[in-house]
């Protein structure tokens, strides 16, 4: 690790973003650099896009990657918002071979949750904490007294006769042309479902649509 810095990369359904991060403070050392996620988002194509980001920063050190899948020992076990060709692929080995750098890969919501508990709104909080990332899908990270339950994927809970992210993800808002009021009511139903199941002490929101929080804040009715 170079002066407590790594290159952090987030692989999303529509874009792949990267920045150099100070892992001691959580601060971005550089501006984010984004490239579109290739379509179809197959392994070699995505790896090539990751290499573009690495080359942009002229990076030679450790790379940390948040990836939209269940990740076990570096291997993708699911592919909800990325091409099915990833299932069974050792993401760490592929990206390390492509970039020539050591690579560590974890579920994207899990790494967002770890950062939130270390540097953000979850810092020094105890009990059960759930982070929900709102984007093309609904990612999740679950912690009890700071211990992560990896690969929780609460966006795939059965809900309303379908999986939850097919009812309340931001992509559904766009696809169905829902206004923020209509979508906010759906998202509130989903959060109430999580509250009923887990009785969390704290629910945190992240992902792209968390930036629009004020548009649906008043629709969220939780105990």
């Amino acid at each position: 690790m170079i002066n407590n810095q790594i290159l952090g990369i987030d692989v999303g359904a529509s874009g792949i973003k990267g920045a150099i991060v100070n892992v001691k403070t959580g601060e971005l050392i550089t501006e984010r650099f984004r490239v579109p996620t290739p379509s179809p988002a197959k392994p070699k194509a995505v790896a090539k896009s990751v290499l573009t980001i690495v080359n942009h920063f002229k990076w030679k050190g450790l790379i940390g990657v948040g990836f939209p899948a269940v990740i076990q020992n570096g291997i993708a076990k699911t592919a909800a918002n990325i091409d099915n060709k990833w299932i069974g692929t050792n993401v760490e080995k592929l990206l390390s071979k492509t970039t020539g750098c050591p690579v560590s890969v974890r579920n994207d919501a899990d790494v967002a949750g770890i950062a939130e508990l270390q540097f953000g709104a979850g810092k020094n909080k105890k009990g059960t904490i759930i982070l929900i990332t709102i984007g093309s899908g609904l990612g999740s990270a679950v912690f009890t007294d700071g211990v992560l339950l990896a690969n929780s994927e609460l966006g795939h809970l059965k809900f309303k006769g379908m999986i939850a992210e097919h009812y309340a993800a931001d992509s559904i808002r766009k696809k169905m042309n829902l206004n923020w009021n209509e979508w906010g009511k759906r998202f509130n139903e989903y959060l109430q479902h999580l509250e009923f199941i887990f009785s969390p002490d704290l629910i945190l929101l992240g992902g792209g649509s968390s930036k629009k929080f004020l548009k649906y804040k008043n629709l969220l009715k939780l105990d």
Side-chain angles (χ1 to χ4, degrees):
M1 192 179 300
I2 305 172
N3 296 324
N4 297 320
Q5 296 176 11
I6 67 167
L7 176 60
I9 294 179
D10 175 57
V11 178
S14 60
I16 302 173
K17 289 83 67 179
I20 298 174
V21 183
N22 184 320
V23 297
K24 293 296 184 182
T25 65
E27 296 175 315
L28 299 187
I29 304 300
T30 64
E31 293 293 324
R32 293 193 315 164
F33 178 69
R34 181 186 187 278
V35 297
T37 301
S39 182
K42 294 184 178 181
K44 287 184 179 180
V46 170
K48 185 177 179 180
S49 295
V50 169
L51 179 60
T52 298
I53 294 174
V54 173
N55 289 340
H56 170 81
F57 289 106
K58 299 180 175 61
W59 187 252
K60 301 296 183 182
L62 178 63
I63 300 171
V65 179
F67 197 82
V70 169
I71 300 292
Q72 294 179 333
N73 300 315
I75 298 171
K77 299 293 186 176
T78 64
N81 292 299
I82 201 162
D83 195 271
N84 284 339
K85 292 288 187 182
W86 281 99
I87 297 175
T89 297
N90 191 314
V91 187
E92 287 184 344
K93 285 186 177 180
L94 173 63
L95 297 184
S96 182
K97 181 179 179 181
T98 302
T99 63
C101 297
V103 176
S104 178
V105 178
R106 296 187 80 161
N107 173 268
D108 51 359
D110 282 352
V111 295
I114 290 168
E116 198 64 51
L117 262 64
Q118 188 158 354
F119 303 111
K123 188 174 182 178
N124 297 323
K125 297 294 193 299
K126 298 296 183 181
T128 298
I129 300 174
I130 298 176
L131 168 74
I132 298 297
T133 57
I134 318 161
S136 299
L138 292 172
S140 66
V142 179
F143 299 85
T144 299
D145 292 335
V147 179
L148 172 69
L149 172 64
N151 297 309
S152 55
E153 295 285 17
L154 300 184
H156 295 168
L157 287 175
K158 291 291 190 290
F159 187 63
K160 299 284 185 179
M162 61 189 81
I163 67 170
E165 65 182 26
H166 290 173
Y167 182 75
D170 189 54
S171 57
I172 299 303
R173 178 185 66 82
K174 295 174 181 176
K175 182 179 179 180
M176 298 184 66
N177 198 28
L178 301 174
N179 60 41
W180 285 105
N181 208 50
E182 292 168 326
W183 176 82
K185 291 178 181 177
R186 285 179 171 232
F187 186 60
N188 181 61
E189 289 180 284
Y190 169 64
L191 293 184
Q192 287 180 331
H193 187 56
L194 294 183
E195 188 176 52
F196 174 74
I197 296 172
F198 296 99
S199 299
D201 297 280
L202 179 65
I203 295 177
L204 303 173
L205 302 181
S209 290
S210 66
K211 298 174 185 176
K212 304 290 186 179
F213 181 65
L214 293 180
K215 292 183 179 293
Y216 54 90
K217 173 184 176 181
N218 291 335
L219 297 164
L220 304 184
K221 311 294 182 184
L222 302 174
D223 292 335

